[in-house]
Amino acid sequence: MTTLDTVYSPSDFRKQGHDLVNLLADYLEKAQSATPEKTIPFVAPEDNVAFWQADLAKGVENDPLDFFRKVVEKSTKLHNPRYIGHQVSTVAPLSALSQMVMGMMNNGGAVYEMGMVTNSLERVVTDWLSRHFGFVMSDFGEPQPKSDITNPKYTEGGGIITSGGTLANLTALLAARAVASPTDDWTNGTTEKLALMVSEEAHYCVDRAARIMGWGAEGIIKVPTNDRFQMKTELLDAYFEKAESEGRRVIAIVGSACSTSTGSYDDLEAIADFAERRKIWFHVDGAHGGAAILSKKYRPLLRGAERADSIIVDFHKMMMVPSLATAVLFRNPAHSYQTFHQKAQYLWENAESQDWFNLGKRTFECTKPMLAVKVYVLLKTYGEAAFEEFIDRTHDLATEFTQILRGGKNFKIGVEPQSNIVCFRFLGVKSTAKSKKTALSVEFLNQLNMSIRLKLVEKGNFYIVQTNIRGEVFLRVSIMNPLTTIEHLKELVEEIERIGLELIHKRVN
Ligand SMILES: Cc1ncc(COP(=O)(O)O)c(C=O)c1O
């Protein structure tokens, strides 16, 4: 038996697979038990890399189970209900399992023949989500033109799935440039000073997209936000006119739904009005909050998104899917074909034809994982209800948590949450008579909140993050795990108060 025979051995795979599934099921059980492991077993970078260097130096070990065990042991545990950190899915186990099928079949989707299943699923999944946004005219349930894939009038099929929100925003904005710019930058390079408008609270990848397109810092017009961190839409006309008078051609506006830092939704209806009036492209960055469209209770947050030219939604944030998978949806499917114009004789005979099934024409990626599989499996197995329940539960809990923080009086809330993101700042008031007299400075409280978070990370029970809001450091939680309960959050509050008061005490005495 050669090494390669072993690599492809069905019986080895069977055993490895069973062992691995058992390991991961044990991990899940432990995470949901009364005595879970640490959420974050923090180890300094140099120590961590030294560990893996030493591990590799030990030489080949035929059974991978030990390696898998170490990976699980040493990773941050997103399934622990005390994980309330960055906006990454607490993955639905079935979706993780489907990644094994994706990995094994490995059908890249650039051309239909290589991705017959995945390209069709991608179409079905993006059409489904497009319908929720009101983008697709005909419904699967109703009679509609047969899926005549050669018919250019076929109205569905504007969506694609790409590797993450950053790439998705860039893809949509490239389409905006192709459609809304008066110049043909794809052919001639940048010949005019183009620009987009976006709130100052938008994710940095929008800024990055504009710079990648060669628009420079001046190509990003940052609109200030109100006290709820939403774009001040009453300023849009003035900012637009100023930019144009300075020789910049504004071709697009991006609405955040919601912003990363505070989870604030821009007023998409006002932005849609503005975009229509000024005849510019309207893009919605719904990487985090776009999934709220699946909840009857929370979909009003997205009012106006149905008038966007493009929307992105990360499946790997609020839809329980492993990273990465992001929908890029276009109101007019034809626009999605304008993003790239590329000839590749070895892939497509006709570079111009709008064939939805040759996905490489419309995606950055040439070879790409079978991304739709891990979304479709949840839709097919649990139905839309699972997504709705997820949104409702995590959002409701954020509201309840905020009420608790308010009730305690020791915390300042960054902003009334609209989503499952809550920012709060420990003020160190309770039982510190001394500290009341010596009012704690902004700088001290900034340091205090950062130190509290570091102590939490060191201890490892909870994992939360932080953000800076107008010069003040806030602790920040995103309730990504639907198994997090109010009891866990009460425990977090107590822990923060205990650490915070201890830190203040040390400083005062
Ligand atoms: C609003 C928003 N847009 C875009 C992104 C980038 O998405 P990704 O991490 O999938 O590239 C994020 C990530 O947090 C985000 O919150």
Side-chain angles (χ1 to χ4, degrees):
M1 190 112 154
T2 68
T3 305
L4 278 179
D5 290 334
T6 315
V7 168
Y8 290 97
S9 157
S11 60
D12 278 10
F13 174 69
R14 197 179 303 279
K15 178 174 181 322
Q16 289 159 353
H18 282 291
D19 287 350
L20 178 58
V21 169
N22 282 332
L23 174 75
L24 294 176
D26 289 348
Y27 152 76
L28 276 177
E29 250 170 29
K30 187 79 183 154
Q32 293 179 24
S33 74
T35 53
E37 292 165 292
K38 281 184 174 186
T39 303
I40 174 164
F42 185 80
V43 175
E46 291 309 322
D47 295 338
N48 222 333
V49 77
F51 174 86
W52 291 111
Q53 283 163 341
D55 186 70
L56 188 61
K58 281 187 217 155
V60 170
E61 289 165 10
N62 283 327
D63 189 349
L65 189 62
D66 190 43
F67 165 64
F68 290 143
R69 192 175 288 123
K70 285 180 198 150
V71 171
V72 172
E73 238 171 60
K74 292 181 163 295
S75 293
T76 303
K77 314 280 187 303
L78 278 65
H79 289 86
N80 187 320
R82 291 172 183 80
Y83 173 90
I84 348 172
H86 289 290
Q87 298 149 269
V88 186
S89 286
T90 296
V91 169
L94 181 61
S95 192
L97 205 55
S98 77
Q99 293 216 133
M100 203 189 283
V101 182
M102 292 163 56
M104 187 66 104
M105 303 323 291
N106 201 29
N107 283 201
V111 285
Y112 180 67
E113 286 169 18
M114 272 308 291
M116 294 182 294
V117 173
T118 185
N119 292 13
S120 305
L121 289 179
E122 190 156 324
R123 165 77 188 270
V124 171
V125 166
T126 52
D127 280 352
W128 162 70
L129 201 54
S130 292
R131 270 202 315 284
H132 276 281
F133 280 104
F135 274 12
V136 178
M137 308 301 159
S138 47
D139 202 320
F140 280 116
E142 289 170 19
Q144 58 174 332
K146 260 246 163 305
S147 290
D148 176 5
I149 52 182
T150 57
N151 178 359
K153 291 214 181 80
Y154 195 64
T155 52
E156 294 185 352
I160 53 164
I161 300 183
T162 195
S163 303
T166 300
L167 202 56
N169 277 328
L170 177 57
T171 306
L173 291 169
L174 280 168
R177 187 180 70 170
V179 175
S181 166
T183 56
D184 181 359
D185 296 19
W186 186 264
T187 311
N188 305 321
T190 310
T191 53
E192 210 175 320
K193 287 169 91 180
L194 302 181
L196 59 80
M197 297 173 75
V198 68
S199 115
E200 62 185 1
E201 285 293 319
H203 192 266
Y204 70 83
C205 68
V206 175
D207 182 297
R208 198 177 268 191
R211 289 170 199 262
I212 289 171
M213 290 190 288
W215 302 355
E218 288 196 338
I220 307 123
I221 298 159
K222 294 214 169 133
V223 183
T225 52
N226 60 23
D227 55 1
R228 302 196 68 189
F229 304 96
Q230 300 155 320
M231 183 188 269
K232 282 188 172 175
T233 49
E234 66 276 18
L235 299 181
L236 290 179
D237 283 306
Y239 271 68
F240 180 91
E241 278 157 23
K242 181 166 182 289
E244 297 260 317
S245 71
E246 289 167 357
R248 272 171 283 154
R249 180 96 188 210
V250 181
I251 64 158
I253 182 160
V254 179
S256 299
C258 50
S259 67
T260 309
S261 189
T262 56
S264 304
Y265 281 80
D266 284 340
D267 179 346
L268 302 179
E269 284 190 308
I271 298 176
D273 289 343
F274 169 77
E276 278 166 20
R277 206 167 51 245
R278 296 294 184 173
K279 298 192 173 36
I280 61 175
W281 185 278
F282 173 26
H283 173 66
V284 173
D285 179 357
H288 183 88
I293 202 74
L294 298 166
S295 153
K296 288 181 272 311
K297 183 169 177 187
Y298 290 98
R299 64 179 301 163
L301 289 166
L302 289 154
R303 206 170 273 140
E306 71 285 355
R307 291 161 65 194
D309 293 289
S310 54
I311 301 178
I312 69 143
V313 181
D314 276 2
F315 294 112
H316 60 275
K317 284 194 168 61
M318 297 297 287
M319 292 179 72
M320 299 174 280
V321 164
S323 309
L324 295 163
T326 304
V328 189
L329 310 174
F330 293 91
R331 182 149 51 99
N332 179 349
H335 289 159
S336 72
Y337 295 91
Q338 286 173 255
T339 319
F340 312 104
H341 309 275
Q342 227 126 25
K343 289 196 170 59
Q345 296 308 343
Y346 46 89
L347 292 180
W348 316 296
E349 283 160 27
N350 183 349
E352 303 301 328
S353 60
Q354 296 190 357
D355 30 9
W356 63 265
F357 45 89
N358 286 321
L359 281 171
K361 284 186 175 179
R362 296 184 293 148
T363 59
F364 255 98
E365 301 99 320
C366 178
T367 309
K368 170 175 99 163
M370 301 168 74
L371 299 175
V373 170
K374 55 187 173 178
V375 184
Y376 187 86
V377 72
L378 296 183
L379 190 57
K380 177 74 182 158
T381 311
Y382 306 117
E384 284 183 17
F387 299 119
E388 179 164 31
E389 202 176 316
F390 178 90
I391 297 287
D392 290 354
R393 193 183 290 186
T394 53
H395 284 54
D396 290 351
L397 190 55
T399 307
E400 203 181 338
F401 180 45
T402 309
Q403 282 157 2
I404 287 183
L405 290 168
R406 281 233 160 78
K409 307 255 187 294
N410 287 352
F411 294 93
K412 174 177 171 181
I413 308 295
V415 60
E416 197 62 40
Q418 288 185 291
S419 69
N420 59 333
I421 298 171
V422 184
C423 300
F424 58 103
R425 177 170 162 92
F426 181 62
L427 299 175
V429 179
K430 188 173 156 188
S431 74
T432 52
K434 269 189 193 170
S435 68
K436 264 190 184 167
K437 275 181 234 149
T438 48
L440 300 173
S441 68
V442 170
E443 293 72 31
F444 177 79
L445 285 175
N446 282 353
Q447 192 52 54
L448 177 65
N449 279 275
M450 285 191 279
S451 302
I452 290 172
R453 200 192 79 83
L454 286 179
K455 291 267 177 216
L456 282 172
V457 171
E458 252 169 45
K459 191 169 173 197
N461 291 5
F462 283 97
Y463 184 64
I464 66 169
V465 292
Q466 68 188 41
T467 190
N468 192 308
I469 303 180
R470 297 183 180 151
E472 293 187 337
V473 173
F474 280 74
L475 301 171
R476 177 173 171 275
V477 303
S478 307
I479 301 170
M480 302 304 291
N481 187 336
L483 302 184
T484 300
T485 64
I486 198 66
E487 296 310 319
H488 296 116
L489 297 174
K490 283 181 187 166
E491 199 188 306
L492 171 68
V493 169
E494 279 167 24
E495 186 85 349
I496 289 173
E497 286 178 335
R498 195 187 54 71
I499 297 173
L501 293 175
E502 216 171 86
L503 287 170
I504 292 176
H505 189 69
K506 275 193 191 145
R507 176 203 185 237
V508 174
N509 298 298

PDB file of all heavy atoms in Angstrom, residues 135 281 491:
ATOM      1  N   PHE A 135     -37.464  41.439  -4.816  1.00  0.00           N
ATOM      2  CA  PHE A 135     -36.710  41.647  -6.047  1.00  0.00           C
ATOM      3  C   PHE A 135     -37.209  40.810  -7.224  1.00  0.00           C
ATOM      4  O   PHE A 135     -36.972  41.160  -8.360  1.00  0.00           O
ATOM      5  CB  PHE A 135     -35.242  41.273  -5.829  1.00  0.00           C
ATOM      6  CG  PHE A 135     -34.405  42.382  -5.276  1.00  0.00           C
ATOM      7  CD1 PHE A 135     -34.985  43.533  -4.780  1.00  0.00           C
ATOM      8  CD2 PHE A 135     -33.026  42.287  -5.243  1.00  0.00           C
ATOM      9  CE1 PHE A 135     -34.211  44.563  -4.263  1.00  0.00           C
ATOM     10  CE2 PHE A 135     -32.240  43.306  -4.736  1.00  0.00           C
ATOM     11  CZ  PHE A 135     -32.833  44.438  -4.240  1.00  0.00           C
ATOM     12  N   TRP A 281     -26.812  54.800  -8.015  1.00  0.00           N
ATOM     13  CA  TRP A 281     -27.000  53.403  -7.585  1.00  0.00           C
ATOM     14  C   TRP A 281     -27.205  53.369  -6.070  1.00  0.00           C
ATOM     15  O   TRP A 281     -26.486  54.049  -5.318  1.00  0.00           O
ATOM     16  CB  TRP A 281     -25.745  52.623  -7.959  1.00  0.00           C
ATOM     17  CG  TRP A 281     -25.793  51.147  -7.701  1.00  0.00           C
ATOM     18  CD1 TRP A 281     -25.559  50.518  -6.511  1.00  0.00           C
ATOM     19  CD2 TRP A 281     -26.030  50.114  -8.653  1.00  0.00           C
ATOM     20  NE1 TRP A 281     -25.649  49.161  -6.673  1.00  0.00           N
ATOM     21  CE2 TRP A 281     -25.938  48.878  -7.982  1.00  0.00           C
ATOM     22  CE3 TRP A 281     -26.312  50.097 -10.024  1.00  0.00           C
ATOM     23  CZ2 TRP A 281     -26.106  47.647  -8.620  1.00  0.00           C
ATOM     24  CZ3 TRP A 281     -26.471  48.867 -10.658  1.00  0.00           C
ATOM     25  CH2 TRP A 281     -26.379  47.661  -9.952  1.00  0.00           C
ATOM     26  N   GLU A 491     -25.258  36.850  34.451  1.00  0.00           N
ATOM     27  CA  GLU A 491     -23.967  36.390  34.997  1.00  0.00           C
ATOM     28  C   GLU A 491     -22.824  37.274  34.472  1.00  0.00           C
ATOM     29  O   GLU A 491     -21.913  37.647  35.206  1.00  0.00           O
ATOM     30  CB  GLU A 491     -23.764  34.945  34.503  1.00  0.00           C
ATOM     31  CG  GLU A 491     -22.771  34.111  35.264  1.00  0.00           C
ATOM     32  CD  GLU A 491     -22.558  32.789  34.523  1.00  0.00           C
ATOM     33  OE1 GLU A 491     -23.549  32.078  34.229  1.00  0.00           O
ATOM     34  OE2 GLU A 491     -21.404  32.491  34.215  1.00  0.00           O
TER      35      GLU A 491
END
